[in-house]
Amino acid sequence: MGDPSGADPTAGGQTMRAFLEDIEEPVAGDDPIARARAAQRTPLPKRFYTDVSVGEADGGFTILLDGRPVRTPARGLLLAPTRPLAEAMAAEWAAQETEINPFIMPLTRLVNVALDRVGPEAEAVRDEVVGYAGSDMLFYRADGPQTLVNRQATQWDPVLDWLSGSHDARFFLSEGIRHVTQPDASLERVRALVPQNPLKLAAVHSITTLTGSALLALAVAEGALDADTAWAAAHVDEDFNREQWGEDEIATARRAARRTEMDAAARLLALIS
């Protein structure tokens, strides 16, 4: 979330800022269910504004609450490079009712992460995405049953074919969990695909951690996959197990929460392209 500039007549500016810093999502991501439970221990701040609008500032667009620009937890301006992104975040603020609930504001939270945390540490975040690619989920295939083997090939091979055909990045596959070292040249080509723009990088990093696959995240960012296809590909094994053993309510709730984060990341990519 962001922190409005100026005094908060309900909770107080300092209280609001502390709340936002407590609930803000780490760069590496974590369990959205755990975050939600943690936030429940902190009282939600009351909605203190009436009007939400979009204004222009510093060559971009910002969200205005009763005419005052929203700021990030680190006190920077919550600035969007495009009006559609600013309008989407403004809609999240406008949708708040009596309280401000950051967990129904996933786009605003992700932009905060991009501006406050990813931007200053962009190279480290890019390194982490490439690190995921070095042991990407798509490389490690089941040795049975054949139904699962076929599903993995159907969902995962097109991504590897795209990387090979469009970017000359070729990888080795392995059965089971035996580690296989990937060619340095291929990983360098992956690195070239990892965005440097903080907003795009935050979205790619989020999708990477949510799916367990940097290659799926980059395919979404490059338009080679849509979010639905990438999400299905990330859950081939889980879906197979659910068919065999049934659903687990906790796992289903966690998956739904993570899908919300995934959709926000994919939406961010679309709104700044």
Side-chain angles (χ1 to χ4, degrees):
M1 275 183 57
D3 182 24
S5 176
D8 173 351
T10 303
Q14 191 64 34
T15 301
M16 170 70 81
R17 188 156 60 252
F19 172 81
L20 294 169
E21 290 167 350
D22 285 344
I23 58 84
E24 192 57 85
E25 180 182 14
V27 171
D30 60 1
D31 189 331
I33 297 293
R35 289 204 311 275
R37 288 173 177 166
Q40 288 172 0
R41 296 193 292 267
T42 304
L44 294 174
K46 300 296 183 181
R47 173 169 171 157
F48 55 88
Y49 52 90
T50 301
D51 180 65
V52 182
S53 60
V54 170
E56 297 187 23
D58 297 338
F61 302 88
T62 190
I63 296 87
L64 303 175
L65 306 181
D66 294 336
R68 295 175 176 174
V70 175
R71 294 188 176 275
T72 70
R75 305 300 294 145
L77 196 63
L78 183 61
L79 192 68
T82 67
R83 180 175 286 276
L85 174 57
E87 289 175 345
M89 289 192 290
E92 291 185 336
W93 284 92
Q96 305 305 299
E97 297 181 354
T98 58
E99 296 176 324
I100 303 175
N101 183 350
F103 296 100
I104 57 173
M105 304 174 74
L107 192 57
T108 299
R109 288 191 293 109
L110 184 55
V111 172
N112 277 333
V113 169
L115 298 177
D116 283 356
R117 301 184 180 186
V118 172
E121 300 289 341
E123 283 310 304
V125 177
R126 295 182 78 240
D127 287 345
E128 189 171 347
V129 173
V130 177
Y132 266 88
S135 56
D136 204 273
M137 173 182 69
L138 305 193
F139 305 147
Y140 297 92
R141 306 300 178 91
D143 55 9
Q146 192 60 41
T147 301
L148 178 57
V149 172
N150 293 342
R151 289 186 188 181
Q152 288 178 341
T154 298
Q155 302 250 25
W156 297 353
D157 286 357
V159 179
L160 299 179
D161 291 343
W162 164 69
L163 285 162
S164 174
S166 298
H167 301 285
D168 196 28
R170 297 174 175 82
F171 300 96
F172 301 120
L173 304 185
S174 175
E175 288 189 353
I177 60 173
R178 182 177 60 83
H179 177 72
V180 57
T181 301
Q182 301 299 334
D184 289 340
S186 294
L187 293 178
E188 283 305 307
R189 292 184 177 95
V190 167
R191 181 181 293 276
L193 292 174
V194 180
Q196 297 193 30
N197 175 279
L199 293 174
K200 291 184 179 180
L201 179 55
V204 165
H205 188 277
S206 179
I207 296 173
T208 297
T209 58
L210 289 166
T211 63
S213 171
L215 303 188
L216 288 176
L218 292 171
V220 172
E222 292 289 310
L225 285 183
D226 61 30
D228 289 340
T229 303
W231 187 254
H235 292 85
V236 170
D237 292 9
E238 181 178 315
D239 287 342
F240 180 81
N241 289 330
R242 289 170 70 179
E243 291 173 11
Q244 307 305 308
W245 309 107
E247 291 194 26
D248 175 89
E249 290 186 7
I250 295 177
T252 298
R254 181 175 292 112
R255 177 164 166 169
R258 293 171 70 81
R259 180 59 200 259
T260 298
E261 306 281 349
M262 170 80 170
D263 288 344
R267 191 179 182 200
L268 176 57
L269 289 169
L271 289 170
I272 59 178
S273 62

